Amino acid sequence: MTYDTVVFDNDGVLVGRTRFDVLRDATRNAFEECGVEEPDPDDVERMTIGATPGSVGTVCQTYDLDPGSFWRTRDDVVSKAQQQEAREGRKTPYDDLDQLQSLDVEMGIVSSNQQATVDFLVEHFDGFERFGAAYGREPTIHSLQLRKPNPHYIEQALGDLDAGNALFVGDNESDVRAAENAGIDSAFIRRPHRRDWELNVWPTWEIERLSDLHDIVG
């Protein structure tokens, strides 16, 4: 199988994931910025990971907040927290990122993280020069519906890269499903946090390091 384009998830694939407590604390700070001094810990958790338009609306109704305004604040505060983690060396690229420099394909990034976070990481770290497209979410509630497994951002990246035969590399089941929904092959990378993960989906490939792509791309 020969691919001319490879698109990557970012967190957990190209750069390390942000610790959950950092994301949770930032989300709590977002509530405080919106005037909620003591939000219910369960509501903070719901707005930290896996939020949906419905859950954002429900939580905001509890505190009489405008959902759109709250979510913009939440995404801004959480993005800045991740940027600080990168500046202070706690969120860094994986040590095999340089293996992609000699991969003879077009490359892109599609993340369910904020666009501001993706843009910062690409600019802040060396090794991202060859990525011709880098997509994250806009800071809107609607963007939550466009996260993987929705293929929306993958399809945008493939269009930007003029892809013919593409491969998507991710570390979540939603990445594999998003690739399927986009009609392209997938590679599941078993980073240390996924070493013993039992998959309920069937990726085209399984790899352990980015260097394994040299044997797949052709």
Side-chain angles (χ1 to χ4, degrees), residues 112-133:
S112 290
N113 214 331
Q114 302 87 12
Q115 184 71 57
T117 305
V118 174
D119 288 344
F120 176 84
L121 296 174
V122 167
E123 290 293 323
H124 183 71
F125 292 119
D126 294 331
F128 287 90
E129 297 80 13
R130 285 206 50 216
F131 290 89

Side-chain angles (χ1 to χ4, degrees), residues 91-111:
K91 184 180 180 71
T92 59
Y94 286 101
D95 60 8
D96 56 355
L97 181 65
D98 60 347
Q99 293 291 319
L100 300 180
Q101 294 301 321
S102 57
L103 204 63
D104 188 22
V105 292
E106 295 295 320
M107 292 191 292
I109 296 169
V110 170
S111 172

Side-chain angles (χ1 to χ4, degrees), residues 9-92:
D9 180 29
N10 199 35
D11 299 274
V13 176
L14 302 178
V15 298
R17 300 189 302 169
T18 306
R19 298 195 324 272
F20 177 76
D21 63 297
V22 171
L23 301 176
R24 183 186 56 212
D25 290 348
T27 302
R28 184 182 298 109
N29 291 339
F31 273 100
E32 293 176 358
E33 284 199 18
C34 292
V36 181
E37 294 297 328
E38 295 185 6
D40 186 310
D42 288 342
D43 291 334
V44 173
E45 189 118 350
R46 291 171 73 191
M47 295 298 96
T48 300
I49 294 289
T52 65
S55 66
V56 174
T58 299
V59 167
C60 285
Q61 189 173 27
T62 301
Y63 303 99
D64 196 25
L65 298 174
D66 174 72
S69 177
F70 168 76
W71 192 255
R72 283 191 298 273
T73 300
R74 181 269 183 201
D75 262 0
D76 180 61
V77 175
V78 170
S79 178
K80 287 177 178 175
Q82 293 182 84
Q83 293 174 35
Q84 189 64 24
E85 289 292 288
R87 288 192 187 95
E88 296 183 6
R90 291 186 293 270
K91 184 180 180 71
T92 59

